[in-house]
Amino acid sequence: MTHGPSPSAKHLTVLLLSVAAILHTGCFSNDSPPYFTALLTNVYKEQATVEHFSLLYTWEERGETPFLKPYSLAAKELIVELMTPSKEDEKRVNITTERFPFEALKEIEIELTDTGKQIIISTIDGRRITATTNFPAILKKDPAAGYADMKIFAQGISAAADTQTGYKLELSFIKKISFTKRTDR
């Protein structure tokens, strides 16, 4: 005679706990105030108003194994690398990582130059900062790992013609991001 739950009851319990964990992570969002609305202009000069705007940084890292581990970070800040001339050697540059919270930003422009793309950041206090389009190395979890498939996406909810749909576009296809509104609810 056996005591305890039957094997099918154990399987049902494991299945229910697995489904509950999946539903729990999929139904809740960690998005919290403040919320930002931005007017995005893509490289084809099409515009979209995006509510609950954020940037999604995605990348993969390879450690000692040949397998890549995916990572992502949704943020309400622009994380960029700045290159400034070195004071010691004028042929070299210093690379620093800067974080710009959306509260401090007026506009982000991505421009094509002779040497590639650059980001022009306009702040609310009137500063204009030029940054690279390099993926911020500070996001790597393991400094010794190699990383690949680095992408930055603009994401949020597109509010066009009385319909709301999810919006996601890779930053390399965006020409300008203008912050139009901040709300706390």
Side-chain angles (χ1 to χ4, degrees):
M1 185 168 182
T2 61
H3 294 96
S6 68
S8 62
K10 289 180 184 177
H11 287 99
L12 181 60
T13 303
V14 169
L15 177 68
L16 288 174
L17 289 173
S18 299
V19 169
I22 291 169
L23 289 176
H24 178 73
T25 57
C27 292
F28 296 100
S29 171
N30 61 358
D31 193 23
S32 59
Y35 301 110
F36 296 91
T37 301
L39 178 64
L40 276 66
T41 306
N42 67 21
V43 294
Y44 306 108
K45 298 183 182 171
E46 300 166 331
Q47 293 187 330
T49 300
V50 178
E51 297 173 347
H52 292 257
F53 177 77
S54 66
L55 291 174
L56 177 65
Y57 299 85
T58 64
W59 70 101
E60 294 180 343
E61 293 185 22
R62 181 187 335 263
E64 294 181 11
T65 68
F67 304 106
L68 293 170
K69 291 167 87 177
Y71 293 99
S72 65
L73 170 70
K76 293 179 187 174
E77 64 181 350
L78 175 66
I79 306 169
V80 292
E81 291 189 345
L82 305 177
M83 285 199 270
T84 55
S86 174
K87 293 178 182 173
E88 296 83 33
D89 185 358
E90 57 192 45
K91 294 180 182 178
R92 295 188 173 265
V93 294
N94 294 323
I95 298 175
T96 58
T97 302
E98 295 287 331
R99 294 174 178 256
F100 295 94
F102 290 168
E103 293 99 9
L105 298 179
K106 180 179 177 185
E107 191 172 80
I108 301 166
E109 293 180 77
I110 295 103
E111 293 182 346
L112 186 60
T113 68
D114 294 340
T115 58
K117 289 186 175 183
Q118 66 182 10
I119 299 174
I120 308 295
I121 304 158
S122 299
T123 62
I124 290 176
D125 63 4
R127 294 182 300 146
R128 284 181 57 88
I129 300 133
T130 303
T132 70
T133 56
N134 297 344
F135 192 83
I138 195 170
L139 294 179
K140 279 177 47 172
K141 302 290 184 189
D142 180 2
Y147 65 128
D149 297 330
M150 301 86 58
K151 292 186 179 177
I152 303 172
F153 295 93
Q155 67 177 7
I157 300 168
S158 176
D162 297 333
T163 61
Q164 290 190 341
T165 58
Y167 183 92
K168 187 174 180 181
L169 184 63
E170 192 176 338
L171 199 64
S172 61
F173 292 103
I174 295 175
K175 184 118 176 93
K176 185 193 283 188
I177 301 169
S178 300
F179 293 92
T180 58
K181 184 170 73 170
R182 175 200 159 145
T183 57
D184 291 322
R185 41 182 180 135

